Amino acid sequence: MIETLIAVGLGQLKLRTSSVLLVGAGGLGCPAALYLAGAGVGKLGLVDGDAVESSNLHRQVLHRTKNVGKLKVDSAIEYLEELNPHPKYIAHHEHLSPENAPDIFKQYDVVLDCTDNPATRYLISDTAVLLGKPLVSASALRTDGQLIVLNNPPSPPGDSSGGPCYRCVFPKPPPVESVVSCADGGIVGPVVGTMGVLQALETIKVLTKVPVPNTNVVAVEDRPALHIFSGYSNPPFRTIRLRMRRSDCAVCSSKATVTLDTLRSGSTDYIQFCGSANSPQLLSAQERISADQYQQIHKSKQPCTVIDVRDQTQFGICSLENSINIPITQILNESSASQVDALDNLRSLLPSDAASNDDRNPIYFVCRLGNDSQLAVRKFKELGVDQNGQRYIGDIRGGLKAWKTEVDPNWPEY
């Protein structure tokens, strides 16, 4: 009993003298910061250049309605100081970049990746390795999440006993068109909250672990693993064991080509490595119409088919008049079928007039932000639904967000 109390006391002292950096004050960063502040971590830094939006509030639990428009880091720290005024809170009012990341990271013991785009994930991991910082990384989308502790133990580049980095686990970034953010794909609030809380737990474990002196043996609990959470599966958790560092990794191996100098100089281009940081532009200008243009088409009662490619739940919240719902996942899943079968399957989902080979009425796709709709246009054209250009198939540029901005300011925001 006494030994347990001593261990708890020593752990609490370690937390009190520790410092943690959270990159991102959104759905992941809010619950992680909340529990780390409550646990008594001595210094908490938050990096984020965005402002609070009303559509964030269901999942970003440190922010409140009165703080809409306020910088997220300031809104978060306001809440955290009410919870526990004793830690030192540092606000970094900026987006992370290769130029500022090293100077920010060097002030902290552990880094949490609470972002949602690949370019920033690689930047965070590279900087953490180069500065010897353990990294607790999580992601969440729709009803699923992932968690992994990287660069643990934080050995220098070339030391094979160190934990793997993000590049070791994911040597190649995902295709640009496959990357979906929470804003576009949607997220169940408790899912991202679960992943943020788990990040806080893993951070506390890293900070309070008693090191084993004079040994390079990796303890069982430190062996790298990818934890996968699915909110609607039973059981909801599963774990995949990972290998240690890759011998050819560009940042943590003896063959490393990414250094602090390449970061600061800008020669390590994360945007080029991962693709455009902006929404993918897969269609030509002729294949897209504005929300205002579609409104004129609708008012004039010109015959057309409007396909909303959001999931069924989002479609149930709000939808354009006379639009039909075919989720993008259902459309893209046809890629595994033969072209003839895929075409037949897609036509079976359309109204009879739109499915007809003789029909020349245009088809317009719409989604939340105008990303998935472009994928749907490409898929339909690949399968020949446009009848070699005789039928117009395009999307509404900017999606329903543009509809709210350009046409209907009272359109629901979720």
Side-chain angles (χ1 to χ4, degrees):
M1 181 67 177
I2 294 178
E3 290 179 352
T4 301
L5 291 174
I6 292 174
V8 170
L10 290 175
Q12 195 65 62
L13 287 173
K14 284 189 175 183
L15 293 178
R16 185 68 185 89
T17 57
S18 297
S19 57
V20 176
L21 176 69
L22 297 96
V23 184
L28 293 167
C30 283
L34 185 67
Y35 279 94
L36 289 172
V41 170
K43 182 170 78 170
L44 281 176
L46 291 91
V47 182
D48 202 311
D50 291 335
V52 179
E53 299 179 17
S54 57
S55 60
N56 300 155
L57 299 178
H58 75 286
R59 66 184 187 276
Q60 299 182 10
V61 294
L62 291 182
H63 309 309
R64 290 162 286 181
T65 302
K66 71 173 186 178
N67 284 343
V68 169
K70 192 172 186 176
L71 287 174
K72 286 183 178 179
V73 290
D74 293 335
S75 172
I77 289 174
E78 178 184 309
Y79 189 111
L80 295 173
E81 286 178 332
E82 292 178 4
L83 172 69
N84 185 356
H86 300 296
K88 181 179 181 180
Y89 300 104
I90 308 295
H92 300 277
H93 303 101
E94 55 194 322
H95 292 293
L96 198 71
S97 69
E99 293 76 21
N100 65 24
D103 290 334
I104 295 174
F105 279 33
K106 69 182 181 182
Q107 306 173 48
Y108 300 92
D109 298 322
V110 178
V111 178
L112 275 68
D113 180 353
C114 305
T115 64
D116 65 355
N117 72 85
T120 307
R121 289 190 179 281
Y122 282 102
L123 167 61
I124 293 170
S125 175
D126 290 354
T127 310
V129 170
L130 295 173
L131 292 178
K133 312 293 183 181
L135 172 62
V136 183
S137 178
S139 63
L141 183 66
R142 299 189 178 99
T143 62
D144 303 316
Q146 295 183 355
L147 173 74
I148 185 171
V149 180
L150 299 165
N151 196 39
N152 184 44
S155 304
D159 187 340
S160 60
S161 68
C165 69
Y166 195 76
R167 288 181 187 265
C168 293
V169 182
F170 304 104
K172 295 182 179 179
V176 176
E177 63 271 17
S178 70
V179 177
V180 181
S181 68
C182 291
D184 200 3
I187 183 70
V188 176
V191 171
V192 72
T194 297
M195 303 316 297
V197 170
L198 289 175
Q199 277 187 285
L201 173 61
E202 291 299 326
T203 303
I204 291 171
K205 288 164 61 178
V206 170
L207 291 172
T208 59
K209 178 177 172 56
V210 177
V212 180
N214 303 319
T215 178
N216 289 326
V217 177
V218 178
V220 173
E221 62 270 21
D222 287 339
R223 290 175 185 168
L226 176 65
H227 305 286
I228 300 174
F229 173 73
S230 181
Y232 284 76
S233 295
N234 188 18
F237 287 98
R238 61 191 179 97
T239 296
I240 300 174
R241 290 294 179 187
L242 302 175
R243 296 178 179 177
M244 296 299 286
R245 291 180 168 180
R246 294 171 60 97
S247 60
D248 59 349
C249 179
V251 68
C252 68
S253 72
S254 58
K255 303 176 182 178
T257 56
V258 178
T259 66
L260 287 176
D261 288 338
T262 66
L263 281 185
R264 291 193 172 100
S265 68
S267 60
T268 301
D269 192 331
Y270 293 91
I271 301 303
Q272 182 181 23
F273 178 63
C274 296
S276 173
N278 301 315
S279 300
Q281 302 298 317
L282 306 179
L283 305 179
S284 67
Q286 291 72 33
E287 296 173 291
R288 316 193 77 184
I289 64 171
S290 68
D292 184 63
Q293 286 175 313
Y294 174 71
Q295 183 197 33
Q296 301 306 317
I297 293 171
H298 179 67
K299 280 185 174 181
S300 65
K301 299 190 182 300
Q302 297 178 34
C304 64
T305 299
V306 182
I307 301 175
D308 190 320
V309 298
R310 295 173 298 157
D311 62 46
Q312 189 174 12
T313 301
Q314 295 185 62
F315 184 75
I317 295 173
C318 55
S319 60
L320 297 177
E321 186 177 2
N322 298 326
S323 61
I324 63 172
N325 181 218
I326 307 178
I328 186 64
T329 52
Q330 195 169 359
I331 293 173
L332 298 182
N333 281 343
E334 297 300 336
S335 60
S336 60
S338 68
Q339 181 166 344
V340 173
D341 290 340
L343 184 56
D344 289 342
N345 291 340
L346 288 178
R347 281 180 174 155
S348 69
L349 302 174
L350 299 173
S352 57
D353 56 348
S356 170
N357 281 328
D358 298 326
D359 188 82
R360 297 294 181 265
N361 294 339
I363 298 176
Y364 302 107
F365 287 92
V366 68
C367 63
R368 192 176 182 192
L369 298 178
N371 298 332
D372 288 344
S373 57
Q374 296 183 68
L375 296 175
V377 170
R378 280 184 40 167
K379 182 64 178 179
F380 266 57
K381 287 192 170 185
E382 288 172 4
L383 294 174
V385 181
D386 65 335
Q387 300 166 38
N388 294 319
Q390 296 182 56
R391 165 185 279 170
Y392 180 86
I393 297 181
D395 84 324
I396 299 176
R397 186 175 58 249
L400 295 175
K401 183 175 182 179
W403 182 264
K404 179 179 177 67
T405 302
E406 300 174 21
V407 178
D408 183 5
N410 295 319
W411 187 262
E413 186 173 16
Y414 61 93

